[in-house]
């Protein structure tokens, strides 16, 4: 069934779900859940939209039954960790390529897909400020690098040239077609809308996700930045090597823990388990350290 024009804002999330149908059904499920929830807010009354959304709900119910034994579906905190880890892996891969001066279609796609998956995190609650900034940076980078390559220009690594109010906010109906992604984006601040066409039949993130480096999100190596974008931060441990030293004090007795503390500790452990699914030892260690510190001191 064709996507109604009123729901074009969710088409890229649905495309991402389709791309991950076999690769990662959990990602596909939550992308569709986000699309359904967002679509309900956009237009749930027009007959075409209502029919489309009902079909999408049925698809979600079917997927939920098929994936019912998967902790990432049955337990929200695990699903949250799964999507966040996946999004950050794509972000880190693209950022690593960017800072290495390797500008290509895979990294553009990875930056943009990371931004879409950070949208999807909102099904679990309000986005953290970190993830809001990651999303803004990734979406801007995808647009900026593509424009440069299209115009025969060499992109600058890092956030040089990004204004605080400059972001590819909206990607239009042309979207990621079967022949490859086609971005439509607009910038705040009066810049005209721009359409980008990238032809590549398969723009997956590639086998190496770039984990293990420490990105330096800040002004690039040359040229005057129009803004200091140091408010972009990679979450602690997301790129930490396996030998990251523990910063956990010796266990102490008599610590009074609240129900909220236990919930947070459980969340850190779930995050660690999700990271291990991707063999991301650094992130697993970091989250286990957080859980241990909380349980032994009562403080994060």
């Amino acid at each position: 069934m064709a996507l109604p024009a009123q729901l074009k804002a969710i088409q890229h999330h649905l495309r991402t779900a389709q791309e991950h149908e076999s690769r990662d059904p959990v990602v596909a499920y939550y992308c569709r859940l986000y699309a359904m929830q967002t679509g309900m807010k956009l237009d749930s009354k027009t007959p075409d939209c209502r029919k489309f959304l009902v079909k999408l709900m049925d698809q979600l119910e079917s997927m939920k039954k098929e994936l019912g034994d998967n902790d990432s579906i049955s337990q929200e905190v695990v699903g949250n960790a799964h999507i966040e880890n996946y999004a950050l892996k794509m972000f880190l891969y693209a950022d690593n390529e960017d800072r290495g001066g390797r500008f290509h279609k895979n990294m553009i796609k990875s930056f943009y897909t990371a931004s879409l998956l950070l949208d999807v995190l909102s099904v679990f609650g309000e986005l953290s400020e970190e993830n809001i900034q990651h999303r803004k940076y990734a979406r801007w980078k995808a647009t900026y690098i593509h424009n440069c390559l299209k115009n025969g220009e060499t992109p600058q690594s890092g956030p040089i040239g990004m204004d605080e109010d400059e972001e590819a906010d909206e990607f239009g109906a042309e979207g990621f077609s079967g022949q490859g992604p086609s971005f439509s984006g607009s910038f705040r601040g009066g810049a005209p809308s721009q359409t980008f066409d990238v032809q590549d039949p398969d723009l997956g993130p590639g086998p190496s996700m770039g984990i293990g480096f420490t990105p330096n999100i800040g002004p690039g190596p040359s040229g005057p930045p129009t803004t200091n974008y140091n408010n972009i931060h990679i979450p602690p441990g997301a790129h930490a090597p396996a030998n990251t030293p523990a910063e956990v004090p010796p266990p102490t007795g008599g610590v009074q823990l609240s129900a909220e503390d236990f919930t947070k500790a459980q969340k850190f452990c779930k995050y660690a388990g999700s990271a291990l699914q991707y063999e991301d030892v650094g992130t697993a260690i970091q989250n286990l350290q957080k859980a241990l510190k909380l349980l032994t001191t009562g403080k994060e």
Side-chain angles (χ1 to χ4, degrees), residues 21-37:
E21 198 78 64
S22 300
R23 188 191 313 175
D24 193 325
V26 171
V27 170
Y29 174 82
Y30 282 113
C31 284
R32 290 194 175 107
L33 181 60
Y34 171 85
M36 189 271 292
Q37 292 179 354

Side-chain angles (χ1 to χ4, degrees), residues 86-142:
Y86 193 94
L88 291 178
K89 280 181 177 292
M90 299 201 83
F91 180 95
L92 291 172
Y93 161 75
D95 190 65
N96 190 34
E97 293 296 283
D98 176 42
R99 294 181 186 281
R102 297 180 292 274
F103 305 108
H104 51 83
K105 295 172 185 177
N106 275 3
M107 60 98 74
I108 295 172
K109 177 72 178 289
S110 293
F111 264 134
Y112 186 58
T113 301
S115 77
L116 295 176
L117 293 176
L118 291 168
D119 285 340
V120 171
L121 281 179
S122 65
V123 304
F124 304 105
E126 188 175 347
L127 291 184
S128 68
E129 183 60 28
E130 276 185 330
N131 283 333
I132 289 173
Q133 295 298 332
H134 274 94
R135 179 177 63 182
K136 179 176 181 178
Y137 183 77
R139 199 159 294 177
W140 168 75
K141 257 306 183 182

